[in-house]
Amino acid sequence: MNKGNYKCPLTQALGVIGGKWKPLIIYQLEKSKKRFGEIDTNIPGISRKVLTTQLNELVEDKLVERTAYAETPPRVEYSLTEKGKELIPILRSIAKWGNYLVQ
Amino acid sequence: MNKGNYKCPLTQALGVIGGKWKPLIIYQLEKSKKRFGEIDTNIPGISRKVLTTQLNELVEDKLVERTAYAETPPRVEYSLTEKGKELIPILRSIAKWGNYLVQ
DNA sequence: CGGGATCCTTAAAGATACTG
DNA sequence: CAGTATCTTTAAGGATCCCG
């Protein structure tokens, strides 16, 4: 049942920011662009494969921009797009609301 | 790895509202309390088992209140708590932000 | 250095049947 | 009417190895 793929904007949006690691990644990029390895070491517990996947999805959803430099060794930088930056205050309001859940 | 169970308030909150059906359930209860069967028929595609699970979690997280009446046949009503109602404008802002995702 | 490819584990979701 | 109980399916996440 429910073969149709329609999702309301809310469900879509929650899918985009709802991954286990995505909020953390977005927070990483809030203040400045960062390299892949930086994000990896700043988020304890995440594997590189998962980080890659999440970053790719964020790029595809236009929240994050990826810039690769043709150097050796390679350098890749990630930064928030305008759409991504718009999300920050919303995430803050969610976090504020969710504070009661944390002891 | 990552055995620790700490979650930031944001991750917690996203877990609470992030289920596939929870936003829809919350929207169902926005205007008025509703009975189990009402919610079930108003949300096409959801199974009663999943609806039960999601409602129980929402109750446990204090977003929804459950009231059972000792009648035959039984009647159970669900309504938003204050915490649940506080969430509505936040959900709206997320949906508004996520509109660009929908074609 | 920043990935991709592959395989594995687990939690969420779904289908179905039964019950106080 | 409003659920449980069971079983099956799916998808997210994770571990590990390989590569330009």
Side-chain angles (χ1 to χ4, degrees):
Chain A
M1 223 165 280
N2 204 17
K3 297 278 182 57
N5 273 356
Y6 174 74
K7 290 186 177 182
C8 70
L10 177 58
T11 306
Q12 287 267 354
L14 288 175
V16 160
I17 63 177
K20 181 172 177 182
W21 302 102
K22 284 182 184 173
L24 274 53
I25 296 173
I26 293 171
Y27 275 166
Q28 281 296 313
L29 300 179
E30 183 188 356
K31 297 189 178 176
S32 66
K33 63 184 177 187
K34 283 197 170 56
R35 301 182 57 166
F36 183 87
E38 277 183 284
I39 307 172
D40 188 34
T41 57
N42 284 346
I43 304 182
I46 197 172
S47 70
R48 279 176 313 180
K49 180 231 169 182
V50 171
L51 179 56
T52 301
T53 306
Q54 307 290 304
L55 280 171
N56 286 343
E57 291 176 10
L58 289 171
V59 168
E60 188 159 350
D61 293 328
K62 312 288 186 192
L63 277 82
V64 167
E65 196 175 11
R66 178 184 187 274
T67 312
Y69 298 87
E71 306 171 355
T72 17
R75 179 165 56 107
V76 179
E77 291 178 343
Y78 292 92
S79 58
L80 288 185
T81 63
E82 283 310 307
K83 263 296 171 190
K85 289 175 186 170
E86 286 176 26
L87 201 54
I88 297 286
I90 298 179
L91 293 182
R92 292 219 182 286
S93 68
I94 301 173
K96 186 181 172 190
W97 175 88
N99 232 310
Y100 83 105
L101 292 162
V102 184
Q103 305 324 337
Chain B
M1 220 165 278
N2 204 17
K3 297 278 183 56
N5 274 354
Y6 173 75
K7 291 184 177 185
C8 70
L10 177 58
T11 306
Q12 286 266 355
L14 288 174
V16 160
I17 63 177
K20 181 173 175 178
W21 302 103
K22 284 182 185 173
L24 273 53
I25 296 173
I26 293 171
Y27 274 167
Q28 280 296 313
L29 300 179
E30 183 189 353
K31 296 189 177 176
S32 66
K33 63 184 175 187
K34 284 199 170 55
R35 303 182 55 165
F36 182 88
E38 276 183 285
I39 306 171
D40 188 33
T41 57
N42 284 346
I43 302 181
I46 198 172
S47 71
R48 279 176 310 178
K49 180 224 169 186
V50 171
L51 179 56
T52 301
T53 306
Q54 306 291 304
L55 280 171
N56 286 344
E57 290 176 12
L58 288 170
V59 168
E60 188 159 349
D61 293 328
K62 312 287 186 195
L63 277 82
V64 167
E65 195 176 13
R66 179 185 187 273
T67 313
Y69 298 88
E71 306 172 354
T72 17
R75 179 164 57 106
V76 180
E77 290 178 342
Y78 292 91
S79 58
L80 288 185
T81 63
E82 283 310 308
K83 262 297 170 190
K85 289 176 187 171
E86 286 177 25
L87 201 54
I88 296 287
I90 297 178
L91 293 182
R92 293 219 182 287
S93 68
I94 300 173
K96 186 182 170 188
W97 175 87
N99 232 309
Y100 83 104
L101 292 162
V102 184
Q103 307 322 340

